[in-house]
């Protein structure tokens, strides 16, 4: 037996679509091939926005992934076949991905690199889990990230992180955890995750696993290599007004820009957040896929040269 219940091939720049059974009340919709292609995520984000604006009767929730949607439906209101027919109508109505204008916000967050809480998480790991872990250098993961990507020094890493905006492809795993990718391919870095994982990470820690940067919304175990900390991005208690309508700050399709600050400055800002004095820097800024692709074309050659150099550096290192 196969879990695939329907499929359609790619049409022009529209991706192939595969529908898979995912239990009695869920259908998994996968777009395109299994590849790190932001165009697929742009398509998913646009379809998700369409479903939120034009609800399909019987569809309880559409949870987006990088190149997928998990559809939770109520079988007494809509059966699987009818749901797929409704989704086909949504797909047919969706314009070409390369002409999309996606609702988006630009969120600027302060970041303190090599902060004490991230160092504490690394220290606990080296002390209690893996003493000789190759990704741990002086209670920090930063030098490992630098070396793995062939960067000249820590400042080059910090400039890489702050030198692009990060596209939040989807939110999940922990409530409010954004999975972000650089919109400028020249700033695309990658690094293996912990092996095994940590048992503790501070809320607000920022790390990278593979090519993905994430912000830890709560204290939690974790496997991403840590390089800094930022302000709260999730608060179910709504201690700051920004969380009163939604405890999750960063939505799929939002973009994040990091602004470097000292750790003392960050701690002051975090106090202001908890006392409802801080003003989060958020602006509505619709995202044009056509403009993005034009910029990508302009820097393609430079990005490929940097990617080749980083892959060569990674090949010289032992994966932890």
């Amino acid at each position: 037996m196969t879990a695939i219940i329907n499929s359609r091939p790619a049409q022009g720049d529209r991706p192939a679509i595969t529908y898979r059974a995912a239990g009695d009340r869920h259908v998994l919709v996968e777009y395109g091939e299994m590849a790190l292609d932001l165009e697929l995520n742009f398509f998913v984000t646009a379809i998700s926005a369409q479903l939120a604006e034009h609800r399909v009767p019987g569809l309880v929730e559409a949870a987006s992934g990088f190149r997928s949607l998990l559809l939770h439906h109520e079988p007494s209101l809509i059966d699987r076949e009818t749901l797929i027919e409704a989704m086909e109508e949504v797909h047919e109505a969706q314009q070409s991905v390369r002409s999309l204008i996606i609702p988006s916000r630009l969120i600027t967050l302060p970041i303190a690199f090599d902060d004490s809480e991230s160092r504490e998480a690394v220290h606990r790991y080296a002390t209690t889990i893996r003493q000789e872990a190759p990704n741990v250098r002086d209670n920090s993961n930063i030098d490992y990230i630098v070396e793995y990507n062939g960067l000249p020094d820590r400042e080059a890493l910090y400039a890489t992180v702050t030198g692009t905006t990060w596209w939040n492809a989807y939110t999940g795993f922990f409530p409010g955890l954004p999975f972000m990718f650089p919109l400028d391919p020249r700033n695309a870095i990658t690094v293996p995750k912990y092996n095994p994982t940590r048992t503790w990470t501070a809320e607000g820690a920022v790390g990278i696993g593979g090519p993905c940067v994430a912000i830890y919304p709560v204290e939690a175990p974790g496997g991403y290599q840590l390089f800094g900390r930022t302000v709260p991005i999730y608060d179910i208690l709504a201690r700051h007004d920004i969380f009163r309508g939604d405890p999750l700050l960063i939505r799929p399709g939002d973009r994040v820009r990091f602004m470097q600050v000292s750790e003392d400055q960050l701690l002051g800002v975090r106090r202001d957040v908890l006392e409802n004095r801080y003003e989060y820097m958020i602006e509505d800024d619709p995202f044009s896929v056509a403009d993005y692709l034009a910029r990508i074309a302009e820097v393609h050659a430079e990005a490929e040269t940097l990617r080749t150099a980083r892959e060569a550096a990674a090949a010289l290192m032992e994966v932890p």
Side-chain angles (χ1 to χ4, degrees):
M1 294 182 63
T2 176
I4 297 176
I5 52 179
N6 206 331
S7 64
R8 59 184 287 183
Q11 300 173 343
D13 67 350
R14 295 172 181 267
I17 302 172
T18 302
Y19 299 89
R20 297 180 184 272
D24 295 335
R25 296 174 180 267
H26 294 82
V27 172
L28 181 66
V29 189
E30 294 180 336
Y31 299 92
E33 301 301 320
M34 191 175 293
L36 182 60
D37 182 351
L38 281 179
E39 285 191 55
L40 292 176
N41 186 254
F42 299 153
F43 193 82
V44 169
T45 303
I47 293 294
S48 182
Q50 286 289 337
L51 291 173
E53 186 174 349
H54 305 288
R55 303 296 300 184
V56 174
L59 179 61
V60 178
E61 181 184 18
S64 60
F66 185 86
R67 62 175 194 93
S68 66
L69 283 170
L70 182 63
L71 307 178
H72 176 193
H73 67 101
E74 176 50 60
S76 65
L77 299 177
I78 186 170
D79 60 31
R80 189 181 285 166
E81 291 72 22
T82 306
L83 175 61
I84 292 175
E85 290 174 3
M87 287 301 299
E88 285 293 279
E89 292 180 6
V90 173
H91 293 142
E92 287 295 334
Q94 181 60 55
Q95 66 191 96
S96 165
V97 64
R98 298 190 176 187
S99 61
L100 289 174
I101 304 293
I102 301 174
S104 180
R105 301 178 304 163
L106 180 60
I107 303 174
T108 302
L109 297 177
I111 184 171
F113 292 107
D114 197 26
D115 65 287
S116 57
E117 290 295 287
S118 295
R119 293 179 65 85
E120 174 62 19
V122 178
H123 172 71
R124 292 189 192 184
Y125 179 79
T127 302
T128 63
I129 298 177
R130 191 176 179 188
Q131 295 181 357
E132 303 300 325
N135 56 316
V136 175
R137 318 276 177 84
D138 188 27
N139 295 324
S140 172
N141 297 143
I142 290 178
D143 291 335
Y144 175 75
I145 302 171
V146 167
E147 183 179 350
Y148 196 90
N149 287 278
L151 298 171
D153 52 34
R154 289 181 167 208
E155 293 303 319
L157 172 63
Y158 304 160
T160 297
V161 173
T162 59
T164 185
T165 53
W166 295 84
W167 175 263
N168 182 31
Y170 60 102
T171 302
F173 192 65
F174 289 114
L177 193 157
F179 289 86
M180 303 183 296
F181 300 83
L183 286 173
D184 188 334
R186 295 172 297 180
N187 295 59
I189 54 177
T190 186
V191 69
K193 295 192 292 184
Y194 274 51
N195 181 22
T197 59
R198 292 181 308 277
T199 57
W200 179 80
T201 313
E203 170 269 315
V206 187
I208 180 170
C212 173
V213 162
I215 302 171
Y216 287 75
V218 295
E219 286 190 8
Y224 279 28
Q225 310 289 347
L226 303 177
F227 56 78
R229 196 180 188 206
T230 187
V231 292
I233 61 165
Y234 170 80
D235 188 356
I236 194 68
L237 300 177
R239 288 164 290 188
H240 189 286
D241 288 342
I242 200 72
F243 299 107
R244 293 196 184 279
D246 187 342
L248 282 60
L249 177 68
I250 305 173
R251 308 166 187 165
D254 282 345
R255 287 162 288 160
V256 170
R257 177 172 54 200
F258 289 108
M259 175 180 65
Q260 184 174 1
V261 298
S262 69
E263 185 167 12
D264 285 344
Q265 289 173 317
L266 178 67
L267 292 175
V269 169
R270 288 179 61 84
R271 284 193 296 271
D272 288 344
V273 170
L274 295 178
E275 295 171 4
N276 201 21
R277 294 199 308 264
Y278 179 68
E279 184 175 348
Y280 279 83
M281 292 176 279
I282 302 175
E283 57 184 288
D284 289 322
D285 188 21
F287 179 77
S288 167
V289 175
D291 289 348
Y292 163 77
L293 293 175
R295 290 194 297 271
I296 294 301
E298 291 175 358
V299 302
H300 175 74
E302 183 182 357
E304 283 298 296
T305 298
L306 290 169
R307 181 182 64 81
T308 300
R310 288 168 181 166
E311 288 180 350
L316 297 176
M317 296 186 63
E318 178 186 357
V319 178

